[in-house]
Amino acid sequence: MIRQMFGAIALSTTLIVYLISPTLAQDPFRATNQRPIGEKTEAAFKAMFEQGDYISADRYLKAISGNEQQEPLAYAMRASLAYVLNEDYNSLGNYGKKTLDTARQLTSTDPLRGNLYSAVGHFLLGASALFREGTVKGTPQALAELRQVYEYMDKAEAISSTDPELNLLRGYMDLMVSVNLPFSNPEQAIGRLQRFAGPKYLSERGVAVGYRDLKKFPQAIEAVDRAMKASNGNPELYYLKGQILSTYGNQQKSAAMLQESVKNFDLAIAKKAQLPPDLVKQIERERRKAAQRLSVVAQQK
């Protein structure tokens, strides 16, 4: 169960890099007390989340130098990319340690972000141990690291319980945990994302995933549409909408929804050169399933 939980979080388009949407001119979370993070880190984030371009994001991060080498977000992103692009568990752990080290340095000047990234660093170390050592050997360390994750999350929440950055990260984490643990409910995570989290294209994406898992498909479609409107042609959002429409269209025996599902999968696949190879394979598998469902429904009409 613990391996499934870590895997679900890591595979959910890399939870760790959902921490902040940086820009040179302003902090999209806060009207005051804005946090600059560096040009290359900003470019990497925009490539990944405005465009869904993992390859360009990786290139920007490898070019980081100077003061940006003290930015924990950069190491969290590198850890996530090492996992999703190459399944490199050693680099996942190494960058997790760098995330934790730089977060500790940040805590003295920015305790909110310092505690948030300390949580991220411990999460990455736990995930690395679990994937590298296997379930039997890795679970004790993973559980120990997970306790630290929530300890630092609680410290950050004590500083500002309505902070958009905090609520985005915690909302996604709570959402993934609720899917993988019995007697948990995604509704609380959805509410956190809706009320406090930002930027919109990431918070609405999380809401769409939550409603998808609750099988509330109309609400999921509305949320992913809002995320797409706020984003910039991210193929992962086309994938998510295709996924939702495929399941809902099959449930309703709707050829129109299934056709729209295939269309969205095709829009995602059209940008496959910028996505992780394993994700492309998954999209192609689900596209074939949607096409098969469409064929069956069409024959029944």
mmCIF file of all heavy atoms in Angstrom, residues 18 152-153 201 225 293:
data_model
loop_
_atom_site.group_PDB
_atom_site.id
_atom_site.type_symbol
_atom_site.label_atom_id
_atom_site.label_comp_id
_atom_site.label_asym_id
_atom_site.label_seq_id
_atom_site.Cartn_x
_atom_site.Cartn_y
_atom_site.Cartn_z
ATOM 1 N N TYR A 18 4.571 20.701 -8.367
ATOM 2 C CA TYR A 18 3.352 21.492 -8.305
ATOM 3 C C TYR A 18 3.437 22.565 -7.223
ATOM 4 O O TYR A 18 2.421 23.020 -6.728
ATOM 5 C CB TYR A 18 2.160 20.591 -7.984
ATOM 6 C CG TYR A 18 1.738 19.721 -9.111
ATOM 7 C CD1 TYR A 18 1.512 18.374 -8.906
ATOM 8 C CD2 TYR A 18 1.569 20.235 -10.382
ATOM 9 C CE1 TYR A 18 1.109 17.568 -9.941
ATOM 10 C CE2 TYR A 18 1.175 19.431 -11.413
ATOM 11 C CZ TYR A 18 0.938 18.098 -11.186
ATOM 12 O OH TYR A 18 0.540 17.286 -12.201
ATOM 13 N N TYR A 152 6.681 18.774 8.514
ATOM 14 C CA TYR A 152 7.044 20.049 7.913
ATOM 15 C C TYR A 152 5.853 20.733 7.239
ATOM 16 O O TYR A 152 5.752 21.965 7.232
ATOM 17 C CB TYR A 152 8.194 19.864 6.922
ATOM 18 C CG TYR A 152 9.533 19.734 7.603
ATOM 19 C CD1 TYR A 152 10.161 18.500 7.735
ATOM 20 C CD2 TYR A 152 10.163 20.851 8.147
ATOM 21 C CE1 TYR A 152 11.387 18.372 8.378
ATOM 22 C CE2 TYR A 152 11.383 20.743 8.791
ATOM 23 C CZ TYR A 152 11.990 19.504 8.905
ATOM 24 O OH TYR A 152 13.201 19.394 9.551
ATOM 25 N N MET A 153 4.946 19.950 6.703
ATOM 26 C CA MET A 153 3.723 20.522 6.157
ATOM 27 C C MET A 153 2.935 21.245 7.245
ATOM 28 O O MET A 153 2.417 22.349 7.041
ATOM 29 C CB MET A 153 2.851 19.429 5.543
ATOM 30 C CG MET A 153 3.299 18.960 4.190
ATOM 31 S SD MET A 153 2.874 20.177 2.936
ATOM 32 C CE MET A 153 3.391 19.290 1.482
ATOM 33 N N TYR A 201 -4.621 26.873 -13.366
ATOM 34 C CA TYR A 201 -4.507 25.730 -14.266
ATOM 35 C C TYR A 201 -3.994 24.486 -13.553
ATOM 36 O O TYR A 201 -4.210 23.371 -14.025
ATOM 37 C CB TYR A 201 -3.638 26.051 -15.493
ATOM 38 C CG TYR A 201 -2.199 26.412 -15.225
ATOM 39 C CD1 TYR A 201 -1.212 25.443 -15.105
ATOM 40 C CD2 TYR A 201 -1.824 27.735 -15.143
ATOM 41 C CE1 TYR A 201 0.110 25.779 -14.891
ATOM 42 C CE2 TYR A 201 -0.514 28.083 -14.935
ATOM 43 C CZ TYR A 201 0.456 27.106 -14.801
ATOM 44 O OH TYR A 201 1.776 27.454 -14.590
ATOM 45 N N ASP A 225 -11.837 21.618 -18.243
ATOM 46 C CA ASP A 225 -12.032 22.705 -19.210
ATOM 47 C C ASP A 225 -11.512 24.033 -18.651
ATOM 48 O O ASP A 225 -10.905 24.829 -19.374
ATOM 49 C CB ASP A 225 -13.507 22.829 -19.583
ATOM 50 C CG ASP A 225 -13.952 21.781 -20.594
ATOM 51 O OD1 ASP A 225 -13.076 21.163 -21.238
ATOM 52 O OD2 ASP A 225 -15.172 21.584 -20.743
ATOM 53 N N ARG A 293 -14.018 1.241 -27.594
ATOM 54 C CA ARG A 293 -15.313 1.531 -26.974
ATOM 55 C C ARG A 293 -16.233 2.243 -27.967
ATOM 56 O O ARG A 293 -17.423 1.945 -28.039
ATOM 57 C CB ARG A 293 -15.115 2.402 -25.730
ATOM 58 C CG ARG A 293 -14.504 1.669 -24.549
ATOM 59 C CD ARG A 293 -14.151 2.615 -23.417
ATOM 60 N NE ARG A 293 -13.802 1.879 -22.203
ATOM 61 C CZ ARG A 293 -13.341 2.447 -21.096
ATOM 62 N NH1 ARG A 293 -13.187 3.761 -21.041
ATOM 63 N NH2 ARG A 293 -13.049 1.712 -20.038
#
